[in-house]
Amino acid sequence: KWLRDFFGEGKGQEWTKSNGWLDEFTSHCEWHGVECNQERKVVNLTLGNNGLSGRISDAIGNLIGREILDLHDNNLKKSIPSTIGNLLNLSYLVISYNELTGNIPETFA
């Protein structure tokens, strides 16, 4: 469900590549930019330079096992959600070249 929320709040219908997203017959592990582990849990979300706009959904913090989050070079706006601090396994975060405002949430720093 969190991926669907992320898609909606990031204006997924306007993305450059959204192959498989929200297709009820395609596993979320086959969606463009989504990489899963053997347990079919999302570990990487790589959607850089893909036409994302809107805001980064608070739902981003629901996937605690994520290791890579790459949303660079899009048109994301507003602030970084505080829920990003839930991503304790995150080793690679790229959110440059967006229109994000505010500070890095204390929950992440």
Side-chain angles (χ1 to χ4, degrees):
K1 173 160 173 20
W2 78 268
L3 281 171
R4 294 179 191 281
D5 291 343
F6 180 83
F7 184 85
E9 291 185 46
K11 298 188 180 177
Q13 67 277 9
E14 299 173 6
W15 293 359
T16 306
K17 294 180 186 173
S18 60
N19 307 21
W21 281 78
L22 306 185
D23 182 341
E24 63 183 288
F25 300 109
T26 304
S27 165
H28 65 278
C29 296
E30 297 175 35
W31 295 356
H32 174 78
V34 176
E35 183 180 335
C36 296
N37 61 16
Q38 291 179 339
E39 291 83 35
R40 304 186 62 72
K41 302 216 184 251
V42 178
V43 291
N44 299 334
L45 188 60
T46 307
L47 294 168
N49 195 23
N50 198 43
L52 280 69
S53 58
R55 60 184 293 273
I56 300 174
S57 172
D58 290 336
I60 200 77
N62 291 339
L63 201 58
I64 297 168
R66 181 172 303 110
E67 299 168 4
I68 294 175
L69 179 59
D70 183 353
L71 304 175
H72 80 279
D73 201 14
N74 282 293
N75 193 28
L76 295 166
K77 295 179 171 60
K78 299 192 178 181
S79 61
I80 301 167
S82 62
T83 57
I84 204 165
N86 297 343
L87 305 179
L88 301 178
N89 293 331
L90 193 66
S91 60
Y92 187 76
L93 172 67
V94 183
I95 53 175
S96 57
Y97 299 103
N98 281 288
E99 297 180 35
L100 298 168
T101 59
N103 297 319
I104 296 172
E106 289 182 25
T107 56
F108 187 69

